[in-house]
Amino acid sequence: LSPGVLSRFRGALVGSVLGDCIGGEFEGAVDVPLDRVLQHLGALEDETRGDGILQYSDDTAMMRCVADSLLTRMAFDERDMARRFAKEYNLAPGRGYGSGVIQVLRKLASPHLKDVFQPAQAQFGGRGSFGNGGAMRAAPFALAFKSRADVCKYSRLGAMLTHSCSLGYNGAALQALAVHLSLQGALALPKEFINKLISEMEEMEKDEKAQLDAKALNLSEFPYCSRLHRVKELMDRNSVSIEEVISELGNGIAALQSVPTAIFCVLHCLEPRDGLPERFGGLERTISYSLALGGDTDTIACMAGAIAGAHYGIDSIPQSWQKSCEGVEEADDLARRLYNFYCLPQFEE
Ligand code: R7I
Ligand code: MG
Ligand code: MG
């Protein structure tokens, strides 16, 4: 039975928070044996462990700012969103932000700033960041906007507040599109799902700025498309090792090395997999598998969790996991409010 739309909305944002909180344990680890992942997840079910709640990081902190801004302004308002990022960073600077983005967040706090996109453009010698910080917080755009064109447009603009390199903001659009398609049930046909993402990215990567950035960074002409083609190849194989996934797709802090990887985690875990408990549903498999890749685990699990949560719905998420993570109730509330917003008629520009 396929979950209802509200259940999918809630699954998306709660799944994202869970990935961040649960994945934080292994962020930066090079080698994460599946045993350790299952041990970590097993501890969530043990109510006597008493080691308190798993805290969320910058991924969730910024996702909440995006959702709050879209809901309060009932549209994309770059100044409001920028102000929320800066205020959130100021209130809780210790959530594990990327080392570059901190400079942007400090500049965004200035009341005299005229152009809120300018601080991001000054990053990394003027090319802007290609980190995954735009993508990690992109899920609310998929819930707020009805058309694929709007999801693309606003998730890119929202990412540009901190990430002005095309690899950074196109990665955010890819993540938002994956969540958007998943909300519509598109993962029922995995091949079509990936083909749709490839054709959307082909359009985005034709762009002049995208072509220039790819060249300057010594990448192939259509970097996201070529990664997504690799995802497709890996889907066709009978068995894929963790090492192959890491070498083909990456597990790093760059959006290019983590957004296609998160999408692969979801696709790979649509079916039961060796080494993962049989009692696990798809969302549990997806999060476990994302952790086992190591690298930027909180962010890859956060992005995979959002896509998987949109597919399986809120009821697929174990209560014990929800209770172990900080910010789940708030994410659930934001998802319900975004659902109400989505149900309103939206005006064409
Ligand atoms: O992208 P960003 O917000 O970081 C997100 C990550 C997630 O894993 C979070 O969970 C958190 O841990 O951080 O922050 P940025 O500082 O913009 O980018 C992250 C890192 O990517 C930077 O600190 C750089 O190491 C690297 N990076 C670059 N390095 C060289 N040249 C990003 N862009 C560049 C670049 O153009
Ligand atoms: Mg983080
Ligand atoms: Mg991270």
Side-chain angles (χ1 to χ4, degrees):
L1 195 75
S2 146
V5 181
L6 176 58
S7 172
R8 289 176 184 271
F9 271 56
R10 298 171 60 202
L13 293 200
V14 172
S16 152
V17 173
L18 287 185
D20 179 16
C21 292
I22 297 175
E25 173 80 4
F26 303 112
E27 190 180 22
V30 178
D31 202 15
V32 186
L34 205 47
D35 283 0
R36 276 194 63 205
V37 172
L38 297 177
Q39 201 180 8
H40 178 51
L41 293 169
L44 305 181
E45 285 162 35
D46 177 5
E47 281 164 19
T48 60
R49 82 204 139 95
D51 59 357
I53 209 153
L54 299 173
Q55 294 198 328
Y56 66 73
S57 78
D58 57 330
D59 304 45
T60 299
M62 295 193 92
M63 181 277 278
R64 286 169 59 156
C65 295
V66 170
D68 278 328
S69 178
L70 293 172
L71 284 164
T72 308
R73 306 298 302 153
M74 292 182 78
F76 175 68
D77 175 340
E78 63 267 22
R79 298 192 70 84
D80 181 77
M81 201 172 280
R83 197 179 49 79
R84 285 173 198 272
F85 289 155
K87 196 171 159 202
E88 169 60 36
Y89 173 68
N90 191 39
L91 284 171
R95 293 247 186 220
Y97 287 86
S99 54
V101 78
I102 290 171
Q103 300 168 45
V104 178
L105 297 172
R106 291 209 180 108
K107 290 181 190 169
L108 289 177
S110 162
H112 306 296
L113 186 68
K114 285 213 177 74
D115 176 4
V116 287
F117 293 105
Q118 189 278 325
Q121 290 161 4
Q123 293 295 98
F124 298 101
R127 197 186 311 115
S129 171
F130 53 60
N132 55 20
M136 71 189 184
R137 62 177 191 248
F141 290 102
L143 279 61
F145 296 101
K146 278 202 174 80
S147 76
R148 236 186 270 176
D150 279 352
V151 171
C152 264
K153 176 180 171 186
Y154 295 115
S155 58
R156 288 171 106 203
L157 285 170
M160 283 177 202
L161 290 168
T162 50
H163 291 69
S164 80
C165 175
S166 59
L167 276 306
Y169 60 73
N170 283 344
L174 175 57
Q175 166 65 10
L177 279 170
V179 175
H180 192 67
L181 291 174
S182 177
L183 286 172
Q184 295 169 343
L187 277 167
L189 299 168
K191 278 274 153 61
E192 284 184 25
F193 176 85
I194 195 82
N195 286 337
K196 275 182 197 156
L197 290 176
I198 291 172
S199 67
E200 292 286 342
M201 295 317 288
E202 271 168 3
E203 284 307 308
M204 266 182 252
E205 296 197 307
K206 272 183 199 159
D207 177 83
E208 193 186 347
K209 171 87 159 68
Q211 296 280 319
L212 286 173
D213 285 342
K215 202 167 210 169
L217 293 166
N218 262 323
L219 299 166
S220 65
E221 240 185 311
F222 289 80
Y224 280 103
C225 291
S226 68
R227 295 266 160 159
L228 291 171
H229 280 292
R230 286 187 212 167
V231 168
K232 230 170 122 172
E233 283 162 28
L234 292 174
M235 281 166 77
D236 286 335
R237 290 203 213 155
N238 288 329
S239 76
V240 186
S241 70
I242 297 277
E243 291 72 25
E244 284 171 300
V245 177
I246 298 171
S247 76
E248 294 283 310
L249 304 176
N251 63 359
I253 207 167
L256 185 64
Q257 290 169 14
S258 48
V259 183
T261 310
I263 292 169
F264 175 75
C265 290
V266 179
L267 292 164
H268 185 70
C269 294
L270 287 170
E271 288 161 34
R273 291 291 168 186
D274 285 347
L276 296 177
E278 270 175 43
R279 68 191 157 83
F280 271 14
L283 183 124
E284 294 154 281
R285 288 195 295 270
T286 305
I287 291 193
S288 327
Y289 190 77
S290 311
L291 268 50
L293 297 180
D296 195 359
T297 48
D298 66 333
T299 306
I300 295 175
C302 160
M303 298 189 292
I307 304 166
H311 178 61
Y312 300 107
I314 188 76
D315 296 324
S316 70
I317 306 180
Q319 281 300 326
S320 60
W321 289 24
Q322 296 191 43
K323 282 193 200 118
S324 310
C325 298
E326 181 194 14
V328 164
E329 277 172 35
E330 290 83 352
D332 195 12
D333 182 55
L334 288 169
R336 288 171 185 277
R337 289 164 57 206
L338 282 164
Y339 175 77
N340 293 335
F341 174 70
Y342 180 87
C343 291
L344 293 172
Q346 287 177 38
F347 298 100
E348 298 296 325
E349 276 175 75

